[in-house]
Amino acid sequence: MRNAILVRAGIWGLTSSGLLAGSIGAQAIAPRSAEANAAVSQAARTLPGFWTTFRKAALAHDAAGIARLSAPIVTQRGELDDVPVKRLTPDQVPPVLAKLLAQPDGVDDAGRSQRAMLAATPVPRRDPQMPADRFRFGDMEFTHGTAGWRLTQIYYEAED
């Protein structure tokens, strides 16, 4: 059902092999197993459940886990508004996230990397100023939708 919705919305299309491919980058993605989808769906229903699963995947450099917990399109923005916005498929997110986690976020008084901050945060701390369906941690933003919580936005500008 989810695949049909994404195809109708024009976000994804079928390749000649029958696998889904995003319109951005036209990279084929094999369908997830029913067990993997069920585990992600169950964990993603609540923010604490999602956070535990996402945090574990990010700290373990689990690219497949990070991809499963990412939205179909993750927006990558720079620090300034004039930096071009990139649209990442779930498979493109893990290497960008790894680079992001190696950097400080510029807010932490101790100057820790975002990875160290993630390791030190087993329970998500919500900002009451944020809408109930959004959560921000460091330079990552998460949104709650019909599929549960997903990583939807990354603020990371590659250094050339």
Side-chain angles (χ1 to χ4, degrees), residues 124-140:
R125 293 183 213 123
R126 299 228 22 162
D127 179 352
Q129 303 284 327
M130 295 280 292
D133 66 341
R134 297 199 183 270
F135 172 66
R136 177 131 185 210
F137 180 85
D139 291 328
M140 299 170 281

Side-chain angles (χ1 to χ4, degrees), residues 12-159:
W12 298 92
L14 292 175
T15 66
S16 58
S17 65
L19 300 177
L20 285 177
S23 58
I24 306 297
Q27 183 176 7
I29 300 172
R32 297 182 192 146
S33 71
E35 296 82 19
N37 280 337
V40 168
S41 294
Q42 184 62 30
R45 291 179 196 265
T46 67
L47 181 57
F50 170 82
W51 184 250
T52 299
T53 306
F54 176 82
R55 183 174 167 268
K56 180 179 177 182
L59 293 174
H61 302 281
D62 176 5
I66 293 165
R68 279 193 301 274
L69 296 164
S70 297
I73 298 295
V74 175
T75 306
Q76 178 185 346
R77 299 179 180 277
E79 292 180 23
L80 303 175
D81 289 339
D82 62 347
V83 174
V85 174
K86 294 181 183 177
R87 295 167 47 103
L88 306 174
T89 64
D91 289 339
Q92 294 172 316
V93 171
V96 176
L97 184 63
K99 293 173 188 172
L100 169 80
L101 292 176
Q103 296 183 338
D105 75 347
V107 176
D108 182 54
D109 292 337
R112 297 178 293 175
S113 70
Q114 292 192 52
R115 173 174 297 286
M117 292 170 51
L118 186 64
T121 310
V123 177
R125 293 183 213 123
R126 299 228 22 162
D127 179 352
Q129 303 284 327
M130 295 280 292
D133 66 341
R134 297 199 183 270
F135 172 66
R136 177 131 185 210
F137 180 85
D139 291 328
M140 299 170 281
E141 192 168 309
F142 306 88
T143 304
H144 187 270
T146 57
W149 286 94
R150 294 288 185 265
L151 174 64
T152 54
Q153 199 156 201
I154 295 173
Y155 295 90
Y156 173 76
E157 191 172 342
E159 296 174 7

